[in-house]
Amino acid sequence: AAGVIQSPRHLIKEKRETATLKCYPIPRHDTVYWYQQGPGQDPQFLISFYEKMQSDKGSIPDRFSAQQFSDYHSELNMSSLELGDSALYFCASSGRLPQETQYFGPGTRLLVL
Amino acid sequence: DQQVKQNSPSLSVQEGRISILNCDYTNSMFDYFLWYKKYPAEGPTFLISISSIKDKNEDGRFTVFLNKSAKHLSLHIVPSQPGDSAVYFCAASGPLSGSARQLTFGSGTQLTVLP
C-alpha cells in the first residue's frame, strides 16, 4: 500500500539559510500534519491542513510557514534557520473521519550547522 | 505540563512473555488514543488505536486497554518477539476547534525483547 512520502530524507543547511520540506500524503487522504522531533524528545505538533486550508497550529515558530496544494501535497518552509531547528520533521496524513488514524512518513532529518 | 505521560523510559522482556507498556493522560477531552512503534531514523508506525467509547481493542498480538476513570491506557504484546524491540509512543487526540486533530505524544518507552 502507498505510504506518506517525504523529501528530502536528509538536509544540511547553515544558520540563517532557508529550507523547504515536502510531503505527499497517502492517496485520498485530505489532511496533512507536520511534527518536529528534537533529539531525545517526543514528536511535537507544528501545524495541520484540511482540504488545503490551515486547520490547527501548534508550536510552529513564526519563521516557519506551510501550505497544502491542490493535489494535497504540503510544503513546510523554514527561514532564518537556527541551530535549534536541527531535528526530525515528520509529516502524517489522515482521511476524512473525525477520528481517522494518522499515518506517518519516514521523516526528513534536518541538520543546521 | 505533559498531557500524555509514559513513565517507564525502558522495558526489557523475555521472548515469548507478555510486554505491558503503560500510558497516563491528564486531559479529559482526549477521546482517541493510539500506539505507534518507532525505529531510529524512521517515522512512527501505527499499531493500534482505541476510542473512548471502548475499554479494549485487540489486533493479533496487540491489545490496548483503556481505563477512562483512571485516565490510563496500556498496550499488551503477547507473545513478545525480538522484532518488537523498538520505541513505543502513546498518543492522544481530542476534539479541537479545527477540522483536523493533532496528536499529543508521550515520551516513549524503549522495549527490548531478549531472545
Side-chain angles (χ1 to χ4, degrees):
Chain A
V4 177
I5 298 172
Q6 290 187 247
S7 69
R9 294 293 311 277
H10 303 272
L11 191 58
I12 300 175
K13 291 285 185 178
E14 296 196 354
K15 277 180 9 178
R16 293 180 288 278
E17 286 191 320
T18 61
T20 297
L21 309 186
K22 296 185 179 182
C23 170
Y24 298 86
I26 291 171
R28 290 180 295 281
H29 279 190
D30 53 12
T31 308
V32 168
Y33 312 76
W34 286 97
Y35 293 84
Q36 177 193 57
Q37 185 180 22
Q41 297 179 358
D42 52 284
Q44 295 289 321
F45 171 74
L46 292 178
I47 195 167
S48 62
F49 292 88
Y50 170 68
E51 281 291 345
K52 294 155 277 185
M53 300 283 288
Q54 181 181 306
S55 178
D56 290 299
K57 210 169 180 181
S59 50
I60 184 169
D62 292 340
R63 298 177 289 108
F64 294 5
S65 65
Q67 56 183 322
Q68 186 179 30
F69 295 86
S70 57
D71 64 351
Y72 294 102
H73 96 270
S74 177
E75 295 184 3
L76 177 66
N77 300 294
M78 311 159 73
S79 62
S80 303
L81 286 169
E82 301 174 356
L83 298 179
D85 296 328
S86 296
L88 266 170
Y89 290 83
F90 292 110
C91 171
S93 73
S94 70
R96 292 180 180 271
L97 296 175
Q99 290 182 336
E100 194 70 13
T101 297
Q102 293 182 30
Y103 294 90
F104 283 78
T108 294
R109 181 173 292 280
L110 172 66
L111 179 60
V112 181
L113 302 175
Chain B
D1 179 36
Q2 221 175 351
Q3 299 184 69
V4 179
K5 297 179 185 178
Q6 293 175 256
N7 292 317
S8 298
S10 63
L11 174 68
S12 290
V13 170
Q14 208 68 39
E15 180 179 5
R17 306 292 279 265
I18 183 171
S19 295
I20 300 176
L21 297 102
N22 293 303
C23 178
D24 298 291
Y25 61 96
T26 56
N27 189 339
S28 57
M29 296 297 290
F30 288 145
D31 62 2
Y32 191 53
F33 305 88
L34 309 92
W35 284 95
Y36 288 87
K37 174 181 176 180
K38 188 177 181 302
Y39 295 112
E42 291 185 14
T45 301
F46 169 71
L47 281 175
I48 193 168
S49 63
I50 188 166
S51 165
S52 60
I53 62 173
K54 294 185 174 181
D55 54 19
K56 178 183 174 181
N57 189 24
E58 193 171 352
D59 184 3
R61 296 186 297 115
F62 302 93
T63 303
V64 56
F65 295 91
L66 175 63
N67 182 335
K68 279 188 297 183
S69 60
K71 294 193 177 68
H72 177 84
L73 64 153
S74 61
L75 174 67
H76 292 210
I77 307 174
V78 180
S80 301
Q81 299 172 354
D84 295 330
S85 298
V87 176
Y88 287 76
F89 285 99
C90 168
S93 72
L96 294 169
S97 56
S99 303
R101 297 157 64 96
Q102 61 172 280
L103 292 178
T104 301
F105 283 87
S107 52
T109 296
Q110 171 70 57
L111 174 65
T112 303
V113 180
L114 305 167

